[in-house]
Amino acid sequence: YHDSLFYLTGITVAPKGKLDVPVLFVPDTMKMYEAVVVIHVMRENGENWPYDDSAELNKDLKSITVAENGGIRGIRWIYPVHGIPEAPQQKLDSAVVRCQARHRVEKRVEVLLTGVVPGATAMPAARNSAVLDTNKPANIQDEVQITGGFSTTVEFLYELQYQSDKIKSQLDSLVDIHLMQKERDTESGIVTLIFNIVFAPNKPMRNAATLVVQCATGGIWKFPILFIAMEPEVDDVINIEAVGLNKETIVGFKLTSQTR
């Protein structure tokens, strides 16, 4: 998108015909761009559309061009377009969050966002990586405002996306994510975000997710995360002692359901 205006004129559209308007988006910085596509239609013979109640037309209606004689000179459609750049994805190694079923684990996930500051270091995709860091102190806050759900802080939005709605419904109650710290390198323009992910699986599973981060200025970055829940520990061992051949032995035990 550029500040310049481009006009295409003389295009004839048949009755009930279709007009394709190509829009090319080639961003050079990680920020949102805005443009407007305007389609203005007039009759091919140059005549106006008759309209008896032209005096009642809203003079401020930008979509209607009213002629001096009261007819409708042209009709205009205005389509706002937002261009949101997304960092190119490479074959990154997924950050793995591993936990035994019926246990709970917390992991620090560190992601690097390149090209956040316009004009700073461009967008080398190889730097768009997610790294598990378990050596960070547990009391990291750095004055970051935190809310739940699709969360927002001063500068960033983030959420976990899953491969299907079914997987999302299964993991929403088992996974929690919070932004703990953000840092900006003034020289390179690279922003580092540190997330705390809590995983408390109730059964063995292996599901992939994507951490999607969006800057308030419009750029989007995506990082793969793999959640692995291993087999739980054995609850108990039941010993049944035989009383003799062809004789029945019964041992009773209780099972409690965790859900309704």
Side-chain angles (χ1 to χ4, degrees):
Y1 300 149
H2 300 280
D3 294 333
S4 305
L5 298 178
F6 297 92
Y7 294 94
L8 295 177
T9 59
I11 300 176
T12 302
V13 180
K16 298 184 179 181
K18 294 183 179 180
L19 173 63
D20 292 326
V21 180
V23 177
L24 181 63
F25 180 44
V26 186
D28 55 2
T29 57
M30 291 294 287
K31 68 176 184 179
M32 184 176 71
Y33 296 79
E34 298 182 57
V36 175
V37 177
V38 180
I39 309 296
H40 191 204
V41 61
M42 295 182 292
R43 299 180 70 171
E44 188 176 21
N45 58 13
E47 298 179 359
N48 300 330
W49 282 285
Y51 189 75
D52 296 336
D53 298 326
S54 58
E56 298 180 3
L57 282 176
N58 188 345
K59 301 301 182 181
D60 296 330
L61 194 61
K62 296 181 179 180
S63 60
I64 300 294
T65 305
V66 181
E68 295 180 358
N69 61 2
I72 297 177
R73 178 65 175 168
I75 303 174
R76 185 184 294 113
W77 288 269
I78 302 175
Y79 301 95
V81 179
H82 287 179
I84 301 177
E86 182 175 319
Q89 283 191 288
Q90 297 288 323
K91 292 183 178 180
L92 304 175
D93 293 333
S94 298
V96 179
V97 182
R98 192 187 310 270
C99 181
Q100 191 174 24
R102 297 207 299 269
H103 283 68
R104 180 181 183 274
V105 69
E106 291 191 28
K107 290 289 186 181
R108 295 273 198 266
V109 175
E110 179 180 296
V111 299
L112 305 180
L113 312 182
T114 58
V116 176
V117 180
T121 304
M123 298 181 296
R127 298 300 303 276
N128 291 343
S129 59
V131 180
L132 276 179
D133 186 356
T134 58
N135 298 320
K136 295 287 183 179
N139 59 347
I140 293 179
Q141 286 295 331
D142 194 30
E143 299 180 358
V144 177
Q145 298 177 7
I146 301 175
T147 59
F150 187 82
S151 306
T152 177
T153 65
V154 178
E155 298 177 358
F156 299 95
L157 302 170
Y158 59 94
E159 69 170 343
L160 283 173
Q161 294 181 352
Y162 303 99
Q163 295 176 334
S164 68
D165 291 339
K166 182 179 180 180
I167 296 178
K168 175 179 172 62
S169 65
Q170 293 174 349
L171 291 184
D172 268 350
S173 61
L174 308 178
V175 177
D176 191 24
I177 181 171
H178 290 284
L179 176 59
M180 303 300 291
Q181 182 178 357
K182 63 179 185 295
E183 300 173 351
R184 186 194 303 273
D185 189 311
T186 55
E187 294 184 1
S188 65
I190 295 177
V191 172
T192 301
L193 300 182
I194 299 177
F195 293 90
N196 184 62
I197 297 180
V198 178
F199 184 36
N202 54 8
K203 62 182 179 180
M205 65 178 67
R206 183 186 182 95
N207 288 310
T210 301
L211 172 58
V212 180
V213 180
Q214 180 172 357
C215 183
T217 58
I220 292 179
W221 296 261
K222 295 182 178 181
F223 306 96
I225 297 180
L226 181 61
F227 292 96
I228 300 177
M230 300 165 291
E231 291 286 342
E233 296 177 354
V234 175
D235 292 306
D236 199 357
V237 177
I238 300 171
N239 293 314
I240 302 176
E241 184 176 345
V243 296
L245 292 176
N246 298 321
K247 293 184 179 180
E248 188 178 82
T249 302
I250 297 177
V251 174
F253 57 92
K254 294 181 179 180
L255 295 178
T256 301
S257 175
Q258 298 297 320
T259 65
R260 298 178 64 88

